[in-house]
Amino acid sequence: MSRTHRIKPGEFPVRDSFLPFSQPWIEEEEIQAVAEVLKSGWLTTGKKTMEFESEFARYIGSPIALAFNSCTGGLHCALAALGIGPGDEVITSVFTFAATANVVCQLGAEPVFVDIDPSTLNMDFKKIEEKISPKTKAIIPVHYGGRPCPMDEIVSLARKYDLFVVEDAAHALGAIYKGKKIGALGSEVACFSFYPTKCITTGEGGMNTTASPELAEKMKIWRLHGISRDAWDRYQKGGSWYYEVVSPGYKYNLTDIASALGVEQLKKVERFQKRREELALKYREALKDFPFILPPPFEEGRHAWHLFPIQLKLEELNCTREEFVDALAKENIGTSVHFIPLHLMPYYRNKGLKEGDFPCAENAFRRLISLPLFPKMSDEDLESVVQALRKLVEWYSK
Ligand SMILES: *Cc1c(COP(=O)(O)O)cnc(C)c1O
């Protein structure tokens, strides 16, 4: 590219105000709904949370949905309810947020990592079977960035070896695979996140969907102090104080304050999804001639487009990913990196893992940048990102 008009990164930034990598979209309806709960006299888990759960189940097309105060809590309870514990192994992607594997360790079990498919950045299906051992109890597919994993294949492989499937669907609210929403695809449990950067938000929060009433009952018990509702119902005579603790449960219930946010956000999920799709298409169109590897399109169903990750073709650029990210920040463009492969984290390294173990994840990680993508962002915002990228590509071109 021509070097005559190159402008140094940060000099005359492409925009004056900082564009964050992500931002929730809270409107008057959410504020009103929260205010009503605050005035109602009932703040913790109650009617609003039940409403959120039933609306969520209806949206997904799953018989049951259970609200949690995070996706992490939902994953933890799902595995606890399935009886995962010391001596067990759980297979998951090395390319995920720490929570996915941390909860496995918290239960005394061992995560067994699988490398990714370099094009989709999802766990490579072909590499799962070789990781199955007599100790394997479950598989946790992670729908990276909102791109559905091949659930038919994963569920049939799990059935063949008598394994459970718990989906990390933190990115995948709204995603569709073979005509069904993620969360209604035959796994034991799918766990969604409502963290502020995710598809919809409750501040902090999560939701598990399942088709199994028995598993739902167990997850409810683990969710709240190990208190059995059976016992509660049995002994309840119009507001009895009696309860029984049947397991050392957690404290992962969602408040009605958060659920009020959730009910309103869920009403907008399709609008948000359409806008995310629109933005992703615009990025794809605008960036197709840049020295980036773009996420491949997803045609068999629907991608939730929680993330739009580009990979720098470092061979064609005179910079590292870190330098490129810093330069984008100087142009007032916020970005993020999803994810640092878990085997490079000190805790997981100490389990005997090392650099080189998962070459596809490492290679993608070195090049990755998640661009700003959130429904509230305008076409002009997106255009400023493209402008900044063009400027930096010219600056760093070899
Ligand atoms: C955000 C995230 C989680 C955790 O969600 P929380 O609701 O913050 O607990 C789990 N897995 C993945 C892949 C995530 O991105």
Side-chain angles (χ1 to χ4, degrees), residues 68-75 95-101 142-145 168-171 191-198 203-207 306-307 338-339:
F68 289 83
N69 60 7
S70 71
C71 174
T72 306
L75 284 162
F95 210 51
T96 181
F97 184 58
T100 321
V142 182
H143 306 292
Y144 177 94
D168 183 332
H171 300 180
C191 307
F192 296 86
S193 172
F194 310 132
Y195 185 76
T197 57
K198 304 286 162 72
E204 297 280 355
M207 192 77 80
H306 164 57
L307 300 177
H338 301 88
F339 292 99

Side-chain angles (χ1 to χ4, degrees), residues 168-190:
D168 183 332
H171 300 180
L173 179 58
I176 296 176
Y177 173 84
K178 297 196 176 167
K180 287 186 181 163
K181 295 226 174 69
I182 293 294
L185 284 161
S187 68
E188 271 57 46
V189 187

Side-chain angles (χ1 to χ4, degrees), residues 1 17 46 82 137 141 148 215 231 248 266 271-272 274 351 389 395:
M1 271 186 213
S17 63
L82 290 167
K137 287 283 154 48
L215 199 51
L266 189 63
R271 187 181 108 204
F272 288 176
K274 291 216 169 58
K351 291 178 175 289
L389 291 170
W395 180 258

